[in-house]
């Protein structure tokens, strides 16, 4: 079967934005059209990945709004929601639209507008994705993260500092990302002494609340060649769920959705963990970077923390992780994050990542919905 | 390319239900598994079509909840939203998942829980899909319908009674649908004397607010044969947008999304309007049945009302429309409606529609999002 290619990508400035969701989506969408050299009217399918524009802003129908704003009518549109992995789910939908033959040119625009709500309000919107059995006990995603981190440190005899070093590394990478919400380094002491949020996790173990949007242009590889010689292909993609009720998992430090979606993506690509040159992982909480790097087979179970301690995942390490700064410093506008992960891998494989550039022909993105309730893993390869 | 087949279908009782969205989706999902003879654990992809569970009920992440409740983990899941055409968009996503080779067995469950909210609250959630330029003037979907109906009657010199006859016909059909919200006839006088909602449209020109869910099981035709000899195939499917701002349309009585999605579906199926034996149209408002029956080429522009007057679209007419009772009597749980349309066509083509049965080998469903902002048209054929 012919591969699906990516021929353009964009992301807006992430952070606290004055624009509403429609404006953010249109901004990234127009930049993506420009990057790909495509007119809105050429687009066959237009997907919007977004979790909760209605809940955050009282605006629904945003996929139709974007078709209007980008002059893409009569392109078919739909909104794809898979909670915090809406972006990855959008990538999977866009891939399916091309691979099925339904569309020869599909644009995906992911975005979320969140910062106009208080932290408590935003946290509650996000917590509404949890199972009622846990939600009614007041469990939020940060509290799941705290419990999981405590378990991980205990079982694997890992130092608390190893978690903090994820934050230090990703903030350092974010300094060179002009779109990142935080473009400043933090030192180990600052992270370790920041306020406790969900013990043992502290403020700097968490990604911020963010506004932003990102977009991709997908088409069959044969169509890509009509536009450009330089493009990226989707070599493998997979998605998988784990239990909705987190406490039903046999081992909360193993993310079943990561393992299963990774296996599917590797199998489709005909590749394994050793073939991956760089990866963007979903570091909504520092602990998640360990769990994903282990679930995807980069490191043995319980060894992910050592890789960070030893610098293996630094930008100049053997397997750079989150060269973009990750969700931690780049920010996490829910529906945009999975798209922005692919944006970063695309830039790295195209050789256009500027001061963040690493050597890479093959990259992976792992986007986590909820607390691992559903995960989408995508593997990209450079065309040349 | 191999066709995508439907091997099972279900719908819950539509109406005022005591169940919450998760329970409604699980009810239809389990019934669909049973109908298809499939275990939840066999499902590869599981899509949920739903517009606004977060806005209506404060519950998000419902695709992951359904995977849990149907024992379908680790099936990949996502929620598909295309406002009032979320069901049709879900059908398109499910079709793409199979046609792309990503899934060999895809379940789609559509649903909405609305009746616990007041009419004003529900209407406002739905109105949030309109363009802000119109929303801020207080325009809701019923008011668009009133304006459009007035224009249609004027331009085509159609009697007000012709609209009422759509309601009379669809209520009559609904009597024989055990899942319908209203299983009772209404006479012309009742419709014509019901309270004015958006002049010239009256109460009985509008579908009700409804709770309910419906589900489908899709797979490649080669896989279908492993389960059953009797199935239905998706011969054609297409989706298209029209302007988000309704007042920007050159002629508000022509639904561009209906025309464009219909053309795509006909082309893919290699069929035309004359080949269709029965159709389920999106009669959220009576006027919409005229506009769709014309936009899909069943009747000339401005002639749709005559077909209803002459009984052409009656159950024993030449082209039965809305044998299920339509949204008008069956009810309109937003995310379920497009799925329930396919459920009805499936029953008719399988010959299992009971007292509603018509003679049909080929059927069409047209699902309208917003006020024609996006439309999905699907054409089904019996396998034998």
């Amino acid at each position: 079967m012919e591969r699906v290619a990516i021929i353009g990508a964009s992301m807006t400035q992430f952070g606290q934005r004055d624009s509403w969701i429609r404006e953010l989506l249109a901004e990234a969408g127009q930049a993506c059209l420009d990057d790909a050299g495509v007119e809105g009217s050429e687009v066959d399918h237009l997907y919007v990945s977004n979790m909760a524009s209605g809940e955050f802003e009282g605006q629904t129908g945003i996929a139709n709004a974007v078709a209007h704003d980008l002059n893409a009518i009569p392109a078919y549109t739909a909104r794809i929601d898979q909670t915090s992995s809406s972006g990855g789910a959008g990538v999977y939908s866009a891939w399916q639209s091309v691979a099925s033959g339904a569309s020869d040119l599909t644009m995906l625009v992911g975005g979320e507008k969140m910062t106009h709500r208080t932290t408590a309000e935003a946290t509650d919107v996000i917590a509404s994705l949890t199972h009622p059995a846990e939600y009614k006990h007041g469990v939020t995603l940060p509290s799941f993260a705290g419990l999981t981190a405590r378990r991980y440190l205990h079982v694997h005899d890992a130092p608390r500092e190893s978690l903090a070093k994820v934050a230090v590394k990703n903030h350092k990478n974010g300094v060179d990302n002009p779109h990142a919400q935080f473009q400043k380094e933090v030192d180990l002491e600052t992270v370790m002494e920041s306020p406790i949020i969900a013990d043992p996790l502290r403020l700097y173990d968490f990604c911020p609340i963010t506004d932003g949007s990102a977009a991709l242009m997908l088409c069959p590889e044969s169509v890509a060649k009509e536009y450009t010689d330089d493009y990226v292909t989707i070599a493998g993609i997979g998605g998988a769920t784990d239990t909705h009720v987190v406490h039903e998992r046999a081992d909360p430090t193993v993310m079943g959705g990561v393992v299963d979606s990774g296996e599917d993506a590797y199998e489709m690509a005909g590749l394994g963990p050793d073939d991956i040159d760089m990866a963007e992982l979903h570091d909504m909480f520092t602990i998640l970077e360990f769990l994903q790097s282990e679930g995807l087979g980069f490191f043995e179970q319980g060894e992910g923390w050592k890789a960070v301690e030893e610098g293996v995942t630094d930008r100049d390490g053997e397997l750079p992780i989150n060269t973009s700064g990750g969700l931690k410093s780049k920010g996490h506008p829910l529906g945009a994050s999975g798209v922005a992960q692919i944006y970063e891998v695309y830039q790295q494989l195209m050789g256009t990542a500027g001061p963040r550039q690493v050597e890479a022909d093959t990259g992976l993105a792992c986007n986590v919905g909820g607390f691992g309730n559903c995960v989408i893993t995508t593997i990209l390869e450079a065309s040349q």
Side-chain angles (χ1 to χ4, degrees), chain A:
Chain A
M1 193 178 75
E2 189 180 3
R3 276 200 184 174
V4 175
I6 299 176
I7 61 167
S10 70
M11 68 181 283
T12 69
Q13 180 66 49
F14 276 18
Q16 196 164 347
R17 298 288 307 267
D18 284 334
S19 310
W20 294 105
I21 184 68
R22 282 183 52 239
E23 299 164 314
L24 289 169
L25 295 170
E27 181 185 335
Q30 188 58 54
C32 182
L33 288 171
D34 295 344
D35 187 57
V38 167
E39 296 290 325
S41 57
E42 296 176 67
V43 173
D44 288 333
H45 283 200
L46 172 51
Y47 295 92
V48 170
S49 54
N50 167 269
M51 173 178 170
S53 70
E55 294 89 327
F56 283 127
E57 194 181 313
Q59 178 76 57
T60 64
I62 54 174
N64 301 326
V66 178
H68 170 277
D69 293 341
L70 299 179
N71 195 29
I73 293 166
Y76 169 69
T77 66
R79 177 174 72 124
I80 312 299
D81 157 43
Q82 180 33 276
T83 69
S84 18
S85 64
S86 294
V91 173
Y92 205 4
S93 280
W95 179 88
Q96 289 177 30
S97 77
V98 174
S100 68
S103 168
D104 264 350
L105 200 55
T106 292
M107 186 153 79
L108 167 67
V109 190
E112 210 85 40
K113 169 66 182 154
M114 307 170 72
T115 65
H116 58 295
R117 304 294 292 268
T118 66
T119 298
E121 288 171 346
T123 301
D124 192 51
V125 167
I126 297 168
S128 72
L129 66 81
T130 58
H131 193 282
E134 293 177 325
Y135 180 79
K136 73 172 66 154
H137 289 286
V139 177
T140 60
L141 267 60
S143 58
F144 278 132
L147 293 164
T148 303
R150 179 176 293 278
R151 179 75 186 160
Y152 183 95
L153 297 180
H154 171 72
V155 173
H156 300 303
D157 200 21
R160 169 65 186 87
E161 285 76 7
S162 64
L163 288 167
K165 286 175 183 170
V166 173
V168 171
K169 167 178 73 71
N170 292 351
H171 268 270
K172 189 172 175 190
N173 288 341
V175 169
D176 289 325
N177 187 342
H179 298 108
Q181 183 163 4
F182 302 132
Q183 298 171 38
K184 67 169 189 184
E185 294 198 43
V186 293
D187 59 24
L188 192 63
E189 194 178 21
T190 304
V191 179
M192 292 297 291
E193 290 180 2
S194 63
I196 289 178
I197 302 292
D199 196 28
L201 299 181
R202 293 165 180 262
L203 183 63
Y204 276 93
D205 288 294
F206 295 88
C207 69
I209 291 169
T210 311
D211 308 325
S213 181
L216 303 170
M217 188 72 69
L218 294 86
C219 61
E221 193 166 4
S222 57
V223 173
K225 292 180 198 297
E226 296 172 17
Y227 286 93
T228 177
D229 292 329
D230 292 328
Y231 54 88
V232 159
T233 62
I234 297 179
I237 186 164
T241 42
D242 199 347
T243 66
H244 190 209
V245 183
V246 175
H247 73 248
E248 287 179 357
R249 295 178 194 167
D251 181 347
T253 66
V254 175
M255 302 186 81
V258 171
V259 174
D260 290 332
S261 67
E263 282 176 359
D264 286 351
Y266 286 133
E267 186 185 339
M268 182 175 158
L271 299 172
D274 292 344
D275 299 309
I276 305 300
D277 299 321
M278 56 82 60
E280 288 287 303
L281 304 186
H282 192 96
D283 58 333
M284 186 175 183
F285 317 113
T286 49
I287 179 66
L288 289 187
E289 189 170 308
F290 292 168
L291 303 192
Q292 286 161 76
S293 68
E294 296 170 12
L296 291 163
F298 298 146
F299 312 113
E300 294 295 317
Q301 201 183 331
E303 307 274 319
W305 67 271
K306 292 182 189 166
V308 176
E309 292 267 358
E310 293 162 4
V312 174
T313 59
D314 285 353
R315 204 155 77 195
D316 59 359
E318 202 179 320
L319 177 65
I321 287 181
N322 285 326
T323 54
S324 69
L327 279 51
K328 180 70 201 74
S329 86
K330 193 171 52 184
H332 182 23
L334 305 169
S337 289
V339 186
Q341 288 182 321
I342 303 292
Y343 170 88
E344 177 68 10
V345 178
Y346 177 83
Q347 300 300 341
Q348 292 288 357
L349 301 189
M350 294 283 283
T352 52
R356 308 191 306 283
Q357 188 66 50
V358 298
E359 267 192 53
D361 297 315
T362 304
L364 178 149
C366 183
N367 195 202
V368 174
F371 201 74
N373 301 127
C374 187
V375 180
I376 298 95
T377 299
T378 309
I379 298 171
L380 305 180
E381 285 187 335
S383 65
Q384 46 184 222

